[in-house]
Structures are given as C-alpha cells and as structure tokens.
Amino acid sequence: MGWRARAPAVLAAAALWLLAAAATGDADDGELERAFPIVEPDYGHTKLHLAKEGLEAIQRIKTPIAAVSVIGPYRSGKSFLLNQLLTLSCDKGFGVGHMRDTKTKGIWVWGTPIELDIDGSIVSVLYLDTEGFESVGKSNVYDDRIFALATVLSSVLIYNLPETIREADISRLSFAVEIAEEFYGRVKGQDVAFEPAKLLWLIQRDFLQGKSVQQMVDEALQRVPNNNGDKYIDEINQIRDSLAIMGDNSTAFSLPQPHLQRTQLCELEDKELDPLYLQRRDQLKQIVSSMIKPKIVQGRTLNGTEFVTFLGQILEALNKGEIPSTGSLVQVFNKAILERCLKVYNERMGRAGLPVSVDKLQQFHDLAKDEARKLFDKQHFGKHHAAHSISKLDEEIKKVFRNFGQANEYQSSKLCEARFSECEDKMEQLQVLKLPSMAKFDAGFILCNQSFEMDCVGPAKESYQRRMSKMLARSRALFIKEYNNKLFSWLVIFSLVMVVIGRFVVKFFLLEIAAWVMFAFLETYTRLFWSSESLYYNPVWHIVVSTWEIIVYSPILDLDRWAIPIVAVLSFLAIYWRCLGGRKGIARSLLPLYSGSYRSSNRPRTD
C-alpha cells in the first residue's frame, strides 16, 4: 500500500527531472546560437590572444571541421554577408555596424556549426568573421596577422572586395601565396601536408554590366611591364604568377548590392531586397558549399579539440615576431615534427648498445640521421622555408650525437677500467704463486690479454691498451726475475723434505740417497757459476726448469692449487701404512740388512 501511495509522487518527480534536463539541454543549445570571439587583440592592437569562450564552443565538436572565413577592408559588409550565408538576421547573427569604426574585433565564430554531408562524411562547418583591414588606429602588422590567421585556418577564404580589385588587394595576397607554395601537397594526388584555403574573389558592385568578375580577376593578375627593373613591380608580378598558377584553387563571383539603403539593410526583410541579389546570394551559397572541404593537416582531418590546438600553434607563430611570415609559421609547425625526428634518432642510437667503437658509433649515427631526415622529408611543412628547420634538425642531431659520444667514452672507460683492474689483480695473484710456474703465468697472461681485447671496446680502448701493455710487460719481467730464485729455493726445500721422508717416514733408503744427491747437486752446481744469470741460462738449468714445469702445471693437474690437499692425503696414507705395518709385524727395511752376530755364526769352518 505504501508503494502504491508514493508512486504518483515518484512519477511526478521523475517527469520534472526529465523536463529540467531537457530544458537544460535546450538552454545549452540556445546559448551556442550566437557569435563568439575566438581571437581577440591586445590593448595596442599589435598582437592576438585566444578567447576562452569561443574555444569552448569549438571544442565540443567531435566531427571533422571546415572553416569559411570572410576577409576584406573594414566597412565592406563582411558581417552582413556571413549573416546572409547563414540565413540569420542582424539581431541574431554577427554584429553589423554602420559607423566608421569597425564593429568586429579580432576573429569571431558562429557558435552553432552547419553540418554538411561531404563525400559520405558529416563535416561541421564553422563561419568566421574577421576584423576589417585598414581601419583607424591599427598597424599594418596587425592586419597582416588577421589575414594570415584566416588564411591558414580556413577551408574557404572569401575575399570580400567592394567595386573592384586594387593593387593593394593583390599585394595583400602575398602571404596567402607563400602559404600555398609552402604548405600545399608535394605531389598532386597524394595526401597534402597542409592544404591552404580555396580562394573566392567576391566583388560586390552596383552594376553587373560590362566585364565579368572573372575577367576583372584575370586582368588584375596579368603581369605588369617592368622595363625599368622596378623591384616592387617584380614582387607584384611574382605574386601575380603564383596566383595564376593556383588555377582551380580560386574562383571569382560577383554580388550586386542588396538595396540602395545600405545603412538600413538589417531592418529589411528578404522580400524588400533586390530580386537579382537574392538570386545571386543563393548561387553564392551553393558555390561556397561546393568549395567546402574538411581542414586537412598532415593528411588528417581535425575535430574541435585538434582545431583549437592548431589555432594555438598558428597564433604562437604569428605572435613570435613583429612581422608574421611564412617562415615563422613553418618553424612552429615543424617543431613537433622535429621532436618526432629527434625521438626516432634517439631510439635508433639507443640500439647501439654502448660502449661501441668510434667507427661503429659513426655508422649508427649515419643510419639514424638518414632515417630521421627521411621522416622529416616525408612529414615536414613547407618547401622554401623548410631549410631553417632542416638546419635546426641537423644542429639538434649534432648535440644528441655529442651526448652519445660522451656517454660512449664514459661507458668505454668504465668497462676498460674494470677489465684492466681484473687483469692487474690476476697478475698480482700470479706473482705470489706457492709453486712458481712459467706455464701457468703464461696461460694467465694470455687469457687476461684475450679477455681485455675482447671486452674492452670503444674510444678508451687505445689508451687502455697502452696501459695494459706496460702493466703486462712489467708483471712478466718481475715474475721472471723472481721465478728462478723461487724455483731454486723450492728445489732445495724439496730435496731436504725428501731426505726426511726417505729416512723417517717410509724408510726408503734409495729415496733418501736420491734426495741427498739432489741436495748436493744443487749446492755444488751453484758454485760452478760466477753469477745467477750464467746459472739460470745454462742448458742444464733449462732441463731442470722443463722437468719442474711438467710436474707442477699441466692442463690436467695444477700442483699450486692442489699441492696442500695432495700432501695431506699422502701424509695420511704414509702414517696409516706405517701404523698398520707396525701392528701386524710386517714392517721391515726395504733393503736387506745383516741381523745375526759374528760370534753366533753357524757357518762351518773350513780348513
């Protein structure tokens, strides 16, 4: 019962919530149906900055964006033209002014994009209103920035001109021409790195008789004779040639005045306007729609967030210097590409696996640099002004290569120092062998040298090789100097030990005699020579050394390592044998001894 009683109240609350949500959504949509500033001038009208409110409206767009901009002199009817293209009245659309000062400041956008189906994809079309040229209280640099910004942002650039085409109007297109030359597709038919706006010459005049607008444009773009070699005329002719080369990238169209009362246009309805104007206006809408293509940067369309990022890049470039230039734009747009190229270079160089030899590091550098340059050539913006970016890339690669070179030297020194220290320790260990062995020293010497040659690589190897050679030569000389003395001492000790073992341990008379002979030989042999050099270089001593080396060290047995265990085992066996033999009464001399007495002889006497 409780639930049934509360059900109407719950349903009513849900209905109110849905109505509130719908009202909020309608309110949001309604708030966007107006013009927003996206770029505003500073106080001195010298630089531009982004306007947050308009950017938020653009960032909400998820589909590809195309922009239609109207540029031209101030008080030429740009805002009214945009309202006509959008079918908006003056009180709802872009602000229209009739005073001598300009109404639009910076660049404004209509908050609700027009969605068009272009080649099967939904494209959101933004309409941009720009501040007019040549207004009072502004510098030419500011006008150039506005023009440059509209040129780069737009998919369609409507150049709104009253009555006719002036020389100044053509000169102002120099920036658009450079943009077209720098950023247009490298090879026709392939993806373009940066597609410039299509230019629509829109000339508004009171009469349409006489020459067509296309004829006016063609005549205005014809070369001017320059017999005197005037530099200014040469520059204008270059612009004319470039505009003529653009060919199908530009269109001309004329539009009659909508009404004689130009200051009251916003108060007039369509039925009060000139019928010819209405007809031409509808044709203009169709032409503009046919020219619209999504904005493409590096082969990709831009959504709202990407478009705002793109706008920020352009503004950074334009505010970078006092005078906007295509070169400054190229540098900013190539900045991200340079970072990607350097990242590729770093990744390829990272595969070198430091330390490596100088030649190998240079090979890695050449391959990585070629790959980075190929990536830059494939993705970079601009043709003529890209040389600065290429130089910048080369400079950055040189810096990174120097860092890799320093890191290679450090790693090489670290590795070679470790191997050198290991060899030095090994040589010191060989100097204090319990049983000196030249064969063992030579084996350790060769192994140490081979491991150093194999493991020590890089630029530090040469210096460490010299240190290694000196250290090994010094160690070998010291070992040889001590070797003969130690060997002689060990042989003397060995002979005395064998005397003791032969008499008291095993009681082997022949072993004792051999040990005494060896001891006597060593003591008397040294007296035959005047110096140790003559002793140690004698052929007899060489035989002794060879025999010692065979006994002490071989690939199978290293007595220096196993001498103590072997002596311990032999001593244990000798003691065990001695004790066991005494207990069983079988211990006897190994030589026949005379055990009877002279008086107790049983031998019969003979005559």
Side-chain angles (χ1 to χ4, degrees):
M1 291 294 293
W3 164 250
R4 291 180 179 178
R6 290 194 301 271
V10 172
L11 292 175
L16 289 174
W17 182 83
L18 291 174
L19 289 173
T24 302
D26 292 341
D28 290 342
D29 294 338
E31 289 179 359
L32 294 177
E33 291 183 354
R34 64 184 182 90
F36 294 91
I38 59 173
V39 174
E40 295 178 326
D42 61 5
Y43 178 77
H45 270 74
T46 56
K47 292 189 177 183
L48 302 168
H49 61 84
L50 297 175
K52 182 179 179 181
E53 188 178 12
L55 299 182
E56 290 177 350
I58 296 177
Q59 286 175 330
R60 299 174 60 168
I61 302 174
K62 305 301 181 184
T63 56
I65 286 179
V68 177
S69 299
V70 178
I71 60 173
Y74 85 108
R75 304 288 294 115
S76 61
K78 297 184 300 300
S79 300
F80 180 79
L81 174 63
L82 278 169
N83 290 335
Q84 291 290 291
L85 293 176
L86 289 168
T87 317
L88 295 171
S89 61
C90 293
D91 57 341
K92 291 184 178 180
F94 290 98
V96 178
H98 301 294
M99 307 301 291
R100 289 197 58 82
D101 60 331
T102 180
K103 180 71 174 178
T104 304
K105 302 291 184 181
I107 298 179
W108 289 60
V109 63
W110 182 247
T112 304
I114 306 300
E115 293 188 349
L116 296 180
D117 187 342
I118 299 177
D119 298 331
S121 299
I122 300 299
V123 177
S124 297
V125 183
L126 298 175
Y127 284 84
L128 306 179
D129 190 11
T130 63
E131 186 171 352
F133 307 147
E134 303 169 353
S135 63
V136 179
K138 297 187 306 178
S139 65
N140 291 332
V141 173
Y142 177 78
D143 289 344
D144 290 339
R145 286 197 172 99
I146 292 292
F147 188 96
L149 196 55
T151 301
V152 178
L153 276 181
S154 303
S155 299
V156 177
L157 186 66
I158 301 176
Y159 200 0
N160 186 50
L161 299 173
E163 301 299 337
T164 187
I165 301 175
R166 302 172 301 166
E167 195 68 41
D169 299 328
I170 297 176
S171 300
R172 198 176 294 279
L173 284 174
S174 60
F175 191 89
V177 170
E178 289 187 16
I179 290 293
E181 290 180 345
E182 287 289 342
F183 295 104
Y184 198 58
R186 298 172 182 79
V187 180
K188 193 172 183 180
Q190 296 184 2
D191 288 339
V192 294
F194 184 114
E195 186 172 1
K198 292 183 179 296
L199 179 62
L200 174 59
W201 299 80
L202 180 62
I203 301 177
Q204 300 189 38
R205 53 182 180 169
D206 295 330
F207 56 91
L208 298 181
Q209 290 80 15
K211 296 179 181 179
S212 67
V213 175
Q214 189 63 53
Q215 288 177 327
M216 292 175 60
V217 172
D218 293 340
E219 289 180 2
L221 296 181
Q222 287 181 358
R223 292 179 61 87
V224 177
N226 187 18
N227 298 326
N228 297 326
D230 190 312
K231 184 178 180 181
Y232 173 75
I233 296 178
D234 279 341
E235 293 177 354
I236 295 297
N237 283 334
Q238 289 177 5
I239 297 171
R240 285 183 164 90
D241 294 340
S242 300
L243 286 171
I245 291 173
M246 291 175 67
D248 57 357
N249 205 42
S250 63
T251 304
F253 190 82
S254 62
L255 193 65
Q257 294 296 334
H259 198 276
L260 295 177
Q261 300 293 331
R262 298 181 184 179
T263 59
Q264 299 178 2
L265 291 178
C266 289
E267 302 172 5
L268 301 176
E269 298 181 0
D270 277 2
K271 61 183 180 180
E272 300 178 74
L273 300 179
D274 188 341
L276 181 59
Y277 167 79
L278 296 177
Q279 179 185 351
R280 299 288 291 178
R281 183 192 65 183
D282 293 338
Q283 292 176 1
L284 177 62
K285 289 181 179 180
Q286 294 176 1
I287 291 175
V288 172
S289 297
S290 66
M291 296 175 68
I292 292 174
K293 297 291 182 183
K295 189 63 184 178
I296 295 176
V297 177
Q298 286 189 288
R300 294 177 58 250
T301 57
L302 305 179
N303 59 25
T305 302
E306 294 167 339
F307 187 84
V308 170
T309 302
F310 182 57
L311 172 59
Q313 287 180 311
I314 301 169
L315 208 57
E316 177 188 351
L318 295 178
N319 287 331
K320 193 173 183 180
E322 293 183 358
I323 300 176
S325 66
T326 308
S328 62
L329 281 177
V330 169
Q331 294 172 28
V332 172
F333 290 132
N334 284 336
K335 183 178 179 181
I337 299 173
L338 287 177
E339 292 176 355
R340 287 198 294 272
C341 292
L342 287 175
K343 183 178 180 181
V344 169
Y345 177 82
N346 275 289
E347 289 176 353
R348 299 300 180 269
M349 290 296 292
R351 297 176 184 176
L354 303 181
V356 294
S357 65
V358 176
D359 293 339
K360 191 172 183 180
L361 185 66
Q362 184 66 40
Q363 291 176 1
F364 272 98
H365 164 70
D366 294 338
L367 293 175
K369 182 178 179 181
D370 289 343
E371 192 164 348
R373 286 292 296 270
K374 287 179 182 178
L375 178 63
F376 181 83
D377 292 339
K378 183 178 180 181
Q379 296 187 357
H380 80 275
F381 291 98
K383 297 178 182 178
H384 308 296
H385 292 88
H388 181 275
S389 299
I390 293 175
S391 300
K392 182 70 174 177
L393 176 62
D394 290 340
E395 290 177 5
E396 294 298 324
I397 286 178
K398 287 180 181 178
K399 291 179 182 178
V400 176
F401 181 61
R402 281 197 296 269
N403 293 336
F404 270 99
Q406 293 173 357
N408 190 42
E409 290 180 3
Y410 172 75
Q411 294 294 339
S412 176
S413 299
K414 186 177 179 181
L415 180 61
C416 292
E417 179 65 30
R419 296 297 174 266
F420 178 82
S421 298
E422 291 176 2
C423 286
E424 198 171 34
D425 294 341
K426 182 67 174 177
M427 291 298 102
E428 290 179 358
Q429 293 173 6
L430 292 174
Q431 295 290 343
V432 293
L433 291 175
K434 300 180 185 69
L435 299 177
S437 171
M438 182 61 71
K440 185 173 183 178
F441 181 87
D442 288 341
F445 182 94
I446 294 173
L447 180 63
C448 184
N449 198 27
Q450 288 177 345
S451 64
F452 177 83
E453 289 292 333
M454 183 180 298
D455 296 338
C456 178
V457 293
K461 183 173 184 177
E462 185 176 354
S463 61
Y464 274 90
Q465 274 181 329
R466 292 193 294 267
R467 290 180 59 187
M468 188 75 175
S469 299
K470 293 179 181 178
M471 186 271 292
L472 292 177
R474 186 170 58 252
S475 298
R476 187 178 183 84
L478 181 61
F479 182 83
I480 292 174
K481 180 180 179 181
E482 299 295 331
Y483 172 77
N484 291 313
N485 294 330
K486 287 183 179 180
L487 178 57
F488 184 84
S489 300
W490 270 107
L491 290 175
V492 172
I493 294 172
F494 177 75
S495 63
L496 294 176
V497 170
M498 295 308 295
V499 168
V500 174
I501 292 174
R503 169 168 290 194
F504 299 105
V505 179
V506 299
K507 292 186 177 182
F508 189 14
F509 184 69
L510 292 178
L511 179 62
E512 181 184 355
I513 294 299
W516 280 115
V517 170
M518 181 178 178
F519 178 77
F521 169 77
L522 291 173
E523 288 298 320
T524 57
Y525 179 73
T526 56
R527 303 294 187 271
L528 301 177
F529 301 94
W530 292 98
S531 63
S532 59
E533 287 78 7
S534 58
L535 166 64
Y536 297 141
Y537 288 98
N538 189 274
V540 177
W541 181 253
H542 288 172
I543 296 173
V544 174
V545 170
S546 300
T547 306
W548 170 265
E549 291 291 341
I550 293 173
I551 296 172
V552 172
Y553 180 78
S554 69
I556 300 175
L557 180 63
D558 181 7
L559 277 184
D560 184 73
R561 185 176 180 182
W562 297 101
I564 295 177
I566 290 174
V567 169
V569 171
L570 291 176
S571 300
F572 173 78
L573 292 176
I575 295 172
Y576 177 79
W577 176 79
R578 180 69 176 168
C579 295
L580 182 62
R583 187 168 56 250
K584 292 184 177 182
I586 61 174
R588 61 186 66 182
S589 176
L590 296 178
L591 292 176
L593 299 177
Y594 183 71
S595 59
S597 63
Y598 179 79
R599 295 181 180 273
S600 61
S601 175
N602 295 325
R603 186 176 60 180
R605 298 182 65 179
T606 62
D607 295 332

